[in-house]
């Protein structure tokens, strides 16, 4: 299999300038570049840029995958919306980490799986994951917990390590989170076990009263700065920043399980699921066999009712001299043999079969098919030999 790599960058909080687009073009003559994106794939050659440097300078989201099993997702947010104190409990392994700089925080998910049979689809590869930035800015930390599960799954954490706060809503993922789980190839049983202690998601809305009280509490110079930034439109994340300042912090479930306990429960759940699936498969197989046997019985009963008419049908098929007709003749003979055995009329069947073979002895293709189906040569033929 030839190598294949896919790179996609997206700018969300601002558009690229003409100068910046020209800078990006200097790195690649064939990339698809727009005021908000840079997309390129490689079946030969290598990406010549620096992912982290580009994220620092141009972009807010990055997705990469290669057909040898590496998937990478990077998301950048203002540090005021996602800070170290929030991230530290979740970023405890190598597969999920973060870095800060120039007022921005970039989180990175890395999934490495060998011997894969397929990889993500290019179509809308990153667009379905970008809404995670807004979710995180609004305090929805399910993506962070999924990142921590990625480290658990990769066996990067000690069994004694205690899980971070479990955010609500892990049993009711939205489309972007489902896409993240799929992209990171999180084990479904591990996620189900982890979600057992996750409470339902509570919808939080900002009331007019809460907004008015928060505005009234601001010092005049700070209030003026927020207003200036809003009017200037220089900060696309300002609305989210203000909402976070006004919205009360949500309390998550405290850590109660260790990594070892999660993995042990996952192994048990996987074993129980496989056992249930095997039992269901056996039941389904038995049902299919029963249905097939009943259908076979009804068919043979119909064939028995036709009586000599079936032998007339065989004669007509033989007369066509077509290979497909000969195959159908053999099928009917097999069916008639079963009917004869059920009705204790095998002697009559053998007599008719002997006559058929003797009459059609000059059709070697037909006779060969009859022999391969396990039917004996006619008695007269045996006597002559």
């Amino acid at each position: 299999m030839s190598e294949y790599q896919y790179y996609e960058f997206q700018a969300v909080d601002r558009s690229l300038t003409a100068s910046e687009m020209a800078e990006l073009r200097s790195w690649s003559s064939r990339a698809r570049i727009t005021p908000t994106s840079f997309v390129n794939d490689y079946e030969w050659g290598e990406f010549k840029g620096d992912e982290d440097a580009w994220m620092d300078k141009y972009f807010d989201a990055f997705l990469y995958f290669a057909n040898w099993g590496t998937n990478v997702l990077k998301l950048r947010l203002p540090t005021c919306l996602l800070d170290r104190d929030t991230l530290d409990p979740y970023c405890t392994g190598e597969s999920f980490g973060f870095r800060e700089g120039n007022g921005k925080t970039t989180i990175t998910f890395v999934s490495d799986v060998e011997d894969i049979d397929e990889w993500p689809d290019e179509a809308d590869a990153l667009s379905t994951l970008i809404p995670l930035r807004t979710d995180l800015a609004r305090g929805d930390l399910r993506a962070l917990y999924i990142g921590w599960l990625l480290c658990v799954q990769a066996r990067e954490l000690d069994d004694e390590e205690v899980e971070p706060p479990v955010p609500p809503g892990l049993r009711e993922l939205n489309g972007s989170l489902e896409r993240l789980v799929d992209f990171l190839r999180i084990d479904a049983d591990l996620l189900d076990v982890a979600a057992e202690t996750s409470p339902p998601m509570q919808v939080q809305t900002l009331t007019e009263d809460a907004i008015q009280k928060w505005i009234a509490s601001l010092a005049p110079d700070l209030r003026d700065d927020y207003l200036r930034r809003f009017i200037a439109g220089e900060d696309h994340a300002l609305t989210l920043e203000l909402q976070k300042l006004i919205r009360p912090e949500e309390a998550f479930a405290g850590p109660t399980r260790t990594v070892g306990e999660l993995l042990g429960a996952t192994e048990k759940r996987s074993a129980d699921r496989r056992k249930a699936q095997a039992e269901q498969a056996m039941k389904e197989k038995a049902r299919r066999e029963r249905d097939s046997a009943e259908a076979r019985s009804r068919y043979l009963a119909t064939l028995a009712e036709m009586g000599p008419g079936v032998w007339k049908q065989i004669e007509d098929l033989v007369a066509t001299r077509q290979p497909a007709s000969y195959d159908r003749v053999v099928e009917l003979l097999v069916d008639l043999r079963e009917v004869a055995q059920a009705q204790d009329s095998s002697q009559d069947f053998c007599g008719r079969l002997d006559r058929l073979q003797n009459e059609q002895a000059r059709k070697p293709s037909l006779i060969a098919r009859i022999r391969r189906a396990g039917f004996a040569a006619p008695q007269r033929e045996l006597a002559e030999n």
Side-chain angles (χ1 to χ4, degrees), residues 78-197:
T79 301
C80 62
L81 297 178
L82 188 64
D83 57 22
R84 177 179 295 273
D85 290 342
T86 302
L87 288 164
D88 271 341
Y90 299 95
C91 298
T92 57
E94 297 179 3
S95 297
F96 180 48
F98 73 96
R99 59 188 181 83
E100 295 177 324
N102 299 320
K104 302 287 185 178
T105 299
T106 301
I107 58 176
T108 300
F109 304 84
V110 180
S111 172
D112 271 312
V113 177
E114 296 181 358
D115 300 324
I116 60 170
D117 295 325
E118 58 183 21
W119 51 89
D121 187 356
E122 293 179 13
D124 302 321
L126 183 54
S127 62
T128 55
L129 292 165
I130 286 178
L132 294 173
R133 296 180 69 252
T134 301
D135 292 342
L136 287 166
R138 289 174 174 166
D140 181 351
L141 305 187
R142 288 178 290 180
L144 304 187
Y145 189 89
I146 289 171
W148 182 79
L149 284 182
L150 177 63
C151 300
V152 172
Q153 181 172 290
R155 301 299 196 272
E156 297 171 358
L157 309 179
D158 294 335
D159 284 352
E160 295 75 22
E161 183 169 329
V162 177
E163 68 179 332
V166 181
L170 281 176
R171 284 177 281 189
E172 44 188 321
L173 304 182
N174 58 32
S176 294
L177 288 167
E178 289 178 348
R179 177 77 173 93
L180 179 66
V181 168
D182 180 63
F183 185 73
L184 300 179
R185 297 168 287 213
I186 300 297
D187 181 86
D189 292 318
L190 175 60
L191 180 60
D192 287 344
V193 167
E196 288 176 352
T197 62

Side-chain angles (χ1 to χ4, degrees), residues 344-355:
D344 197 20
S345 59
S346 295
Q347 185 174 357
D348 178 64
F349 169 78
C350 289
R352 287 178 178 272
L353 178 60
D354 285 352
R355 286 194 295 274

Side-chain angles (χ1 to χ4, degrees), residues 245-307:
L245 291 172
I246 301 170
R247 184 184 296 112
E249 290 290 332
E250 187 174 4
F252 294 163
T256 57
R257 299 168 296 185
T258 66
V259 169
E261 289 170 340
L262 282 172
L263 291 174
T266 299
E267 291 176 2
K268 182 179 184 305
R269 187 184 187 91
S270 298
D272 292 344
R273 176 178 51 78
R274 288 192 296 269
K275 180 181 178 182
Q277 288 175 340
E279 292 175 349
Q280 182 60 35
M282 291 179 63
K283 291 179 181 178
E284 183 62 23
K285 179 182 178 183
R287 183 193 65 77
R288 290 195 302 269
E289 291 175 347
R290 184 173 61 253
D291 290 347
S292 178
E294 292 174 354
R296 177 72 175 168
S297 179
R298 290 192 298 269
Y299 165 71
L300 293 177
T302 301
L303 206 63
E305 293 174 359
M306 294 175 63

Side-chain angles (χ1 to χ4, degrees), residues 20-121:
E20 288 172 331
M21 292 175 66
E23 291 173 6
L24 294 173
R25 176 59 67 195
S26 69
W27 288 95
S28 173
S29 60
R30 56 182 293 270
R32 302 179 290 282
I33 302 175
T34 75
T36 58
S37 67
F38 176 101
V39 180
N40 208 356
D41 52 12
Y42 300 86
E43 295 184 20
W44 61 87
E46 294 289 342
F47 175 67
K48 297 180 175 59
D50 183 306
E51 300 161 13
D52 288 332
W54 283 26
M55 287 291 291
D56 290 343
K57 187 174 182 180
Y58 306 111
F59 297 106
D60 302 300
F62 166 71
L63 180 142
Y64 166 86
F65 63 81
N67 64 349
W68 53 77
T70 300
N71 290 357
V72 179
L73 173 67
K74 296 178 183 286
L75 299 173
R76 185 182 71 157
L77 292 86
T79 301
C80 62
L81 297 178
L82 188 64
D83 57 22
R84 177 179 295 273
D85 290 342
T86 302
L87 288 164
D88 271 341
Y90 299 95
C91 298
T92 57
E94 297 179 3
S95 297
F96 180 48
F98 73 96
R99 59 188 181 83
E100 295 177 324
N102 299 320
K104 302 287 185 178
T105 299
T106 301
I107 58 176
T108 300
F109 304 84
V110 180
S111 172
D112 271 312
V113 177
E114 296 181 358
D115 300 324
I116 60 170
D117 295 325
E118 58 183 21
W119 51 89
D121 187 356

